Amino acid sequence: MTNETAPERLEPTVLEKIVADCPGTLAVALRPTVRTTARAAAPGPHPALSEGLASPGGTVPELNADVELPLASVGKVLLLAEVAMSVEGGILDPSEPVRVEDDDYCGGSGLLLGLSARTWTVADLALMTAAVSDNTATNALLRTVGLDRVNAAAAALGLSRTRLLDRIREPRGPRHPPTFAVGTAGELATLMALVAGEAGWQVQMREWMLANTDHTLVPALVRHDPEGAWLASKTGTDAGIRAEAGLMGTRAYAVLAHGPAGEEDALTAAVRRVGLLLASAPLGGA
């Protein structure tokens, strides 16, 4: 007999049911983490990405993992990766002061709009980008690094469809690119698996992502210590978008939901249900 009170198990039909109930597109990808000290500066896709990291034994189904979707602030992981690699490579000094220009200021998430200081270090801006998804910090950091450099770094890491299109804008007008960033759940989950490595830039990026204060999406239904080291993530929210990519223990994941504006509660519910399943998903030897 079926125990109706038992938690949902990660079966393909369960994920498909969640997808069917979602008012839009729900993309799910899960990877085992990669432990490597290889530097990302090597030419071409990183070996870990080339190996594919497919679901072991087919136990973890992926749905819509190759569908390109808007990412909202999840796209900031590309900026954080480039900054972390540049710091490790000596291209950027984490203590370098960056003045926040008038054009950097942006509404939405963050703290800098309410703080009086106008100059912060590169490391300060990266931490605020990761911890509270500060849009102003993101713009100042992105202006310092450059959009093209961020996308070149993403391409060097093997990401062919996950990229930044613009700076953060509130509001976004008809003359602007349609969204901040686009990408696929499969590429983001594989990037998160790579971030679990032990190279200097990987450790730094995890430290920034561990500071994320938003645990309202994928881990919301999972019992965990918000101050523990189990969860390193980056969320993204906008009209019709609820997205997250990160690490839960030995699991690297990305869950992207995109639907009509006004359906954000339903999108959030779908992402949370998937998060509960992914937290207990078998990962072979993981």
Side-chain angles (χ1 to χ4, degrees):
M1 294 181 63
T2 301
N3 181 0
E4 295 182 353
T5 63
E8 293 175 295
R9 294 187 61 79
L10 190 62
E11 304 286 345
T13 54
V14 177
L15 271 178
E16 288 166 1
K17 173 82 164 56
I18 297 173
V19 170
D21 291 341
C22 180
T25 301
L26 183 64
V28 180
L30 182 66
R31 302 283 189 270
T33 55
V34 178
R35 293 292 176 182
T36 175
T37 56
R39 294 177 60 89
H46 191 281
L49 290 154
S50 302
E51 290 165 6
L53 295 175
S55 304
T59 58
V60 180
E62 293 190 345
L63 293 175
N64 297 321
D66 295 326
V67 175
E68 189 174 293
L69 295 171
L71 303 179
S73 289
V74 167
K76 294 172 184 176
V77 297
L78 303 183
L79 174 60
L80 293 172
E82 164 56 22
V83 171
M85 288 187 287
S86 291
V87 167
E88 183 185 23
I91 300 170
L92 269 181
D93 180 352
S95 64
E96 176 187 344
V98 176
R99 178 171 173 81
V100 179
E101 304 293 347
D102 289 346
D103 194 46
D104 295 328
Y105 283 96
C106 183
S109 57
L111 297 173
L112 284 187
L113 278 178
L115 298 177
S116 59
R118 294 291 299 255
T119 300
W120 305 83
T121 67
V122 165
D124 290 338
L125 295 174
L127 180 60
M128 285 186 279
T129 296
V132 294
S133 202
D134 196 297
N135 288 338
T136 300
T138 298
N139 282 344
L141 199 57
L142 185 57
R143 174 175 51 80
T144 301
V145 174
L147 183 71
D148 290 344
R149 196 164 115 194
V150 171
N151 285 332
L157 288 171
L159 308 182
S160 62
R161 303 177 65 198
T162 302
R163 61 204 184 277
L164 301 189
L165 303 181
D166 195 14
R167 49 167 282 172
I168 303 287
R169 299 182 190 273
E170 293 287 349
R172 184 166 293 278
R175 295 179 299 170
H176 301 140
T179 192
F180 167 60
V182 294
T184 71
E187 287 191 350
L188 284 165
T190 307
L191 174 61
M192 292 299 101
L194 180 59
V195 168
E198 295 305 324
W201 76 269
Q202 296 162 315
V203 173
Q204 177 62 83
M205 191 167 168
R206 280 202 311 280
E207 289 179 359
W208 287 332
M209 293 176 67
L210 281 166
N212 181 22
T213 58
D214 184 4
H215 295 176
T216 62
L217 291 176
V218 169
L221 302 180
V222 182
R223 187 174 182 179
H224 66 283
D225 177 5
E227 296 183 357
W230 178 75
L231 180 70
S233 63
K234 183 71 197 75
T235 52
T237 62
D238 204 344
I241 302 172
R242 292 295 184 269
E244 183 169 329
L247 295 162
M248 292 189 294
T250 58
R251 294 162 172 79
Y253 66 90
V255 183
L256 312 177
H258 179 228
E263 294 287 352
E264 288 81 13
D265 287 349
L267 296 175
T268 297
V271 171
R272 288 174 174 175
R273 289 180 66 196
V274 170
L276 187 61
L277 298 176
L278 296 185
S280 59
L283 279 177

